[in-house]
Amino acid sequence: GQIKLINGDKEITVNLNDLEYEQLSGIRVNGKGEEIPMEGKGILMRDLLKTVETKEYETVQVVADDSYTAEVTVEEVREDGKVCLFLQEEGGLRLVVFGDENSKRSVSDVVQIIIE
């Protein structure tokens, strides 16, 4: 699989097999407010963004293969271990914002990241 990173007029396609994943864990909150422990291989959003020369940005739009979109702020991205992209069992990446009570920002099948 691949993921497209868009930063202004610069567009880069990254092969998921080329990323350096690490073991991540944290607590995800579902739509009912229940805390769900989560653990697996993934990459921190801030580390993924380092693969592109990002200029100053305020938000990151995460787009799923069905065009569903969620937004995270630069402050959240910079917070240690908060915004992660997990490898899914069936392939692809899933956005997880640990400790976030807005379950709508848990996005499966991420295909594009727009840095604004």
Side-chain angles (χ1 to χ4, degrees):
Q2 298 179 327
I3 189 166
K4 189 181 295 184
L5 303 175
I6 300 171
N7 185 18
D9 59 356
K10 190 180 346 181
E11 189 174 301
I12 296 173
T13 300
V14 177
N15 187 321
L16 298 183
N17 293 328
D18 294 341
L19 296 174
E20 291 186 31
Y21 298 102
E22 59 184 296
Q23 195 66 23
L24 300 172
S25 63
I27 302 294
R28 181 173 71 87
V29 180
N30 69 13
K32 297 177 184 176
E34 301 167 332
E35 294 185 351
I36 301 167
M38 202 166 171
E39 189 173 322
K41 283 193 171 192
I43 186 168
L44 296 175
M45 176 70 78
R46 69 172 184 216
D47 292 343
L48 177 62
L49 295 182
K50 287 177 187 173
T51 64
V52 215
E53 292 178 25
T54 56
K55 297 176 181 165
E56 287 298 313
Y57 64 96
E58 294 179 21
T59 61
V60 177
Q61 298 283 331
V62 180
V63 184
D65 64 352
D66 65 358
S67 298
Y68 181 81
T69 303
E71 181 178 281
V72 293
T73 66
V74 64
E75 292 83 9
E76 290 171 315
V77 170
R78 290 181 179 158
E79 192 175 325
D80 192 34
K82 183 167 182 88
V83 182
C84 309
L85 293 157
F86 274 85
L87 275 172
Q88 301 174 135
E89 285 183 28
E90 61 279 359
L93 295 174
R94 175 189 185 107
L95 171 72
V96 175
V97 182
F98 285 129
D100 187 12
E101 293 183 11
N102 181 358
S103 63
K104 291 180 171 62
R105 294 199 308 170
S106 181
V107 179
S108 298
D109 302 316
V110 174
V111 293
Q112 185 172 293
I113 294 177
I114 304 166
I115 304 150
E116 302 176 314

